[in-house]
């Protein structure tokens, strides 16, 4: 990738990942804990499994913070002059997006399984049902948004690797192979060449020698 840019022009970031993250952890925090009529302690709406609610909240919050981090990176991206640093930034975007897509897939399967295993007697009033379904639905949507985000980052990486268009402002001119170079000349060699140079004899010298030459008869 020498002499070529690596995806220096970030496209407009998708707003869906951070919005979906807010919906997931917001739904669980607000209405994800219910209690029975004869109990005062609240339990997670997903089969009274606190780990399910904690997982949804943790993944949602961290995914939202990750979105904010990469929004800041996209804003700072054009100011990165190093090709290697820009390459690392795009590769990290690909890896992080794929990682969050996997976590949302796990979260969707986990929440769906626990929701199906929930008992009616644990929530006789059916409180928080809409919030639980919203968390499951937007966890499913988040899988595709992060996968598409990783795919777009991969396309930008290939575009930057195959074209020098995006790095022309940051390319070092000395790395351009088509740029002509002046031949290197040593100062001492140049002095010797000047000192040993002799001016060719004038034409009059040959005429003088010719006139002074006498033919001898044998």
């Amino acid at each position: 990738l020498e002499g070529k840019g690596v995806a220096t022009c970030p496209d407009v970031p998708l707003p869906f990942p951070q919005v979906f993250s807010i919906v997931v952890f917001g739904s669980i925090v607000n209405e994800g804990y219910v209690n029975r009529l004869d109990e005062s302690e609240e339990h997670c709406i997903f089969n009274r499994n606190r780990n399910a609610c904690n997982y949804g909240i943790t993944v949602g919050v961290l995914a939202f913070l990750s979105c904010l981090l990469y929004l800041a990176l996209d804003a700072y991206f054009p100011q990165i002059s190093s090709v290697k640093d820009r390459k690392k930034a795009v590769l990290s975007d690909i890896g992080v997006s794929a990682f969050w897509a996997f976590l949302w897939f796990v979260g969707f399967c986990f929440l769906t399984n626990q929701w199906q295993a929930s008992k009616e007697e644990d929530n006789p009033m059916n409180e928080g049902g809409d919030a639980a379904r919203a968390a499951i639905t937007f966890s499913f949507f988040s899988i595709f948004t992060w996968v598409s985000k990783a795919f777009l980052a991969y396309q930008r990486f290939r575009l930057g690797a195959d074209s020098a268009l995006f790095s022309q402002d940051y390319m070092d001119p000395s790395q351009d192979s088509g740029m002509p170079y002046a031949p290197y000349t040593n100062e001492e060699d140049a002095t010797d060449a000047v000192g040993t140079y002799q001016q060719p004899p004038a034409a009059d010298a040959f005429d003088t020698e010719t006139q002074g030459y006498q033919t001898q008869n044998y």
Side-chain angles (χ1 to χ4, degrees):
L1 299 176
E2 295 181 357
K4 295 184 178 181
V6 181
T8 63
C9 184
D11 52 352
V12 178
L14 295 175
F16 303 110
Q18 53 265 36
V19 174
F20 292 169
S21 300
I22 294 174
V23 173
V24 172
F25 77 79
S27 299
I28 298 176
V29 169
N30 291 329
E31 301 182 22
Y33 293 90
V34 295
N35 60 326
R36 296 178 181 175
L37 298 178
D38 56 346
E39 293 180 346
S40 59
E41 182 182 359
E42 293 183 343
H43 297 276
C44 178
I45 194 174
F46 296 99
N47 196 27
R48 302 172 70 90
N49 187 350
R50 188 169 295 273
N51 292 330
C53 289
N54 291 337
Y55 185 90
I57 295 173
T58 302
V59 171
V61 172
L62 293 180
F64 176 75
L65 295 177
S66 179
C67 290
L68 295 182
L69 176 63
Y70 276 90
L71 283 176
L73 179 61
D74 286 339
Y76 179 72
F77 201 89
Q79 301 179 10
I80 302 177
S81 59
S82 175
V83 176
K84 292 183 179 179
D85 292 340
R86 301 202 314 269
K87 177 182 177 181
K88 292 178 181 179
V90 177
L91 288 177
S92 67
D93 191 6
I94 297 173
V96 170
S97 299
F99 176 71
W100 281 114
F102 171 75
L103 290 182
W104 280 118
F105 174 76
V106 174
F108 167 74
C109 296
F110 188 25
L111 295 179
T112 302
N113 177 265
Q114 294 300 308
W115 177 247
Q116 292 177 348
S118 299
K119 301 177 182 178
E120 294 183 1
E121 56 269 20
D122 292 335
N123 187 15
M125 304 297 295
N126 196 21
E127 297 177 351
D130 294 337
R133 285 186 286 269
I136 294 174
T137 301
F138 284 95
S139 296
F140 178 75
F141 291 158
S142 296
I143 300 172
F144 297 98
T145 56
W146 284 99
V147 168
S148 61
K149 195 175 187 317
F151 178 72
L152 292 176
Y154 176 72
Q155 281 189 328
R156 289 192 298 158
F157 174 77
R158 292 195 59 183
L159 180 64
D162 296 338
S163 174
L165 175 63
F166 295 100
S167 63
Q168 59 185 0
D169 294 335
Y170 308 103
M171 183 183 298
D172 187 359
S174 62
Q175 297 180 357
D176 190 0
S177 59
M179 191 175 185
Y181 293 89
Y184 174 77
T185 305
N186 192 4
E187 183 177 358
E188 295 180 358
D189 296 340
T191 304
D192 295 340
V194 174
T196 57
Y197 176 78
Q198 296 180 358
Q199 185 177 1
D204 295 340
F206 292 100
D207 295 341
T208 304
E209 293 179 0
T210 304
Q211 292 177 0
Y213 177 78
Q214 297 180 358
T215 304
Q216 296 181 1
N217 296 327
Y218 295 95

